[in-house]
Amino acid sequence: MAPPNRSHGQKSIRATLQPRDLMAETPVRARAWWARVVTLFPETFPGVLGHSLTGTALKEGLWALETVDLRQFGEGKHRKVDDTPAGGGAGLVLRPDVVGAALEAARGPGPMLYLSPRGRPFDQAMARDLAAGPGVTLLCGRFEGVDQRVLDHFDMQEVSLGDFVLTGGEIAAQALLDATVRLIPGVIGNMASTEEESFSDGLLEHPQYTRPAEWQGRTIPEVLTSGDHGRVAAWRRAEAEALTRARRPDLWERYRRQGD
């Protein structure tokens, strides 16, 4: 069910943020990557996404962020968005009619994802796939979750950041968007740097060093100052393999199988 005034149901970042914030006056480039976020707390966006590389790219219109305030679609005088679980139990569940109306207002090109601890683990491969598409629509859950019927109706994919539970999906949504937006062409000046990051080739990233050459009695490994690019590359690969083997045996087994 749509709210009485539909024009207030779908809020862009221009409407939900103060004039001093990013995108208040910034036009979106043609064919920009779009993120649409359904949330009870639109004021929490762009959050950290408004800073550093993602913030600059947002200001320049390389990507666009739109928030849809779930509360505006709520029922009755108090804009109620939840109800008790069918079958009993603690907590509250987001109503399908309320969430459904918000998703109809928010949906655009690209997949529709629900941030959920029971979802498919989010990884670098998914970030690359999302960045290569036109955009994404994200649903941030709260309370005990969302009525399953609305997830089935919109064929939403559930995505998890890990085996832990947050109070809501907003932090997870920002993390997913940060990992994805930085892979959009033009966001990072030197895209070659993303090719050597953790998970880019199935391994954790090798250790990094910079000046000064000595700090607290610790020195930069000699190979990194040798000027021998072949030795440097071999050292970095060996370090990445050793770290992955020690810290992420699951990744190491997957990587090892790829080489068989």
Side-chain angles (χ1 to χ4, degrees):
M1 177 177 178
N5 186 345
R6 182 77 175 204
S7 65
H8 293 297
Q10 187 168 349
K11 292 188 175 183
S12 71
I13 192 171
R14 292 180 180 85
T16 57
L17 301 181
Q18 297 300 316
R20 66 178 181 274
D21 286 312
L22 293 174
M23 297 227 5
E25 303 295 337
T26 303
V28 178
R29 295 188 186 185
R31 305 177 70 86
W33 193 88
W34 275 89
R36 297 170 174 87
V37 183
V38 177
T39 171
L40 278 170
F41 302 99
E43 67 277 8
T44 63
F45 290 85
V48 70
L49 299 171
H51 299 274
S52 189
L53 295 172
T54 54
T56 299
L58 183 61
K59 185 176 181 180
E60 294 177 349
L62 290 175
W63 70 290
L65 174 63
E66 187 174 32
T67 57
V68 175
D69 186 352
L70 184 59
R71 184 68 65 183
Q72 296 297 324
F73 293 83
E75 293 289 323
K77 177 181 178 181
H78 299 292
R79 303 280 186 174
K80 188 175 176 62
V81 300
D82 51 33
D83 213 323
T84 55
L92 297 166
V93 176
L94 290 174
R95 294 171 52 124
D97 50 351
V98 173
V99 175
L103 287 173
E104 286 289 357
R107 69 190 306 176
M112 303 181 74
L113 307 181
Y114 169 47
L115 284 309
S116 165
R118 71 182 189 183
R120 165 190 167 182
F122 179 69
D123 56 19
Q124 192 72 5
M126 186 186 294
R128 284 195 297 268
D129 289 343
L130 291 175
V136 67
T137 301
L138 301 177
L139 171 61
C140 300
R142 282 276 156 177
F143 315 121
E144 295 303 309
V146 179
D147 189 298
Q148 184 65 39
R149 291 171 294 177
V150 77
L151 302 179
D152 295 340
H153 176 77
F154 287 95
D155 193 25
M156 300 195 73
Q157 181 178 353
E158 297 185 53
V159 178
S160 171
L161 288 193
D163 296 335
F164 53 88
V165 179
L166 299 170
T167 56
E170 286 74 18
I171 292 175
Q174 291 193 24
L176 182 148
L177 290 176
D178 183 272
T180 301
V181 167
R182 63 192 302 276
L183 298 178
I184 297 172
V187 174
I188 294 180
N190 181 12
M191 286 302 292
S193 66
T194 65
E195 298 174 3
E196 297 182 359
E197 295 174 329
S198 290
F199 313 114
S200 60
D201 60 357
L203 296 172
L204 299 181
E205 188 178 13
H206 55 77
Q208 297 282 8
Y209 298 86
T210 188
R211 295 183 180 87
E214 181 177 342
W215 178 79
Q216 299 286 14
R218 299 173 184 269
T219 60
I220 296 175
E222 177 274 333
V223 63
L224 298 180
T225 60
S226 68
D228 187 328
H229 298 299
R231 287 182 61 206
V232 170
W235 180 89
R236 286 175 170 171
R237 171 63 62 169
E239 289 291 317
E241 291 180 348
L243 282 172
T244 305
R245 186 167 56 248
R247 299 181 183 181
R248 290 292 303 273
D250 56 327
L251 289 179
W252 174 250
E253 283 302 312
R254 192 183 313 161
Y255 171 77
R256 190 178 59 80
R257 287 196 301 269
Q258 291 174 353
D260 292 341

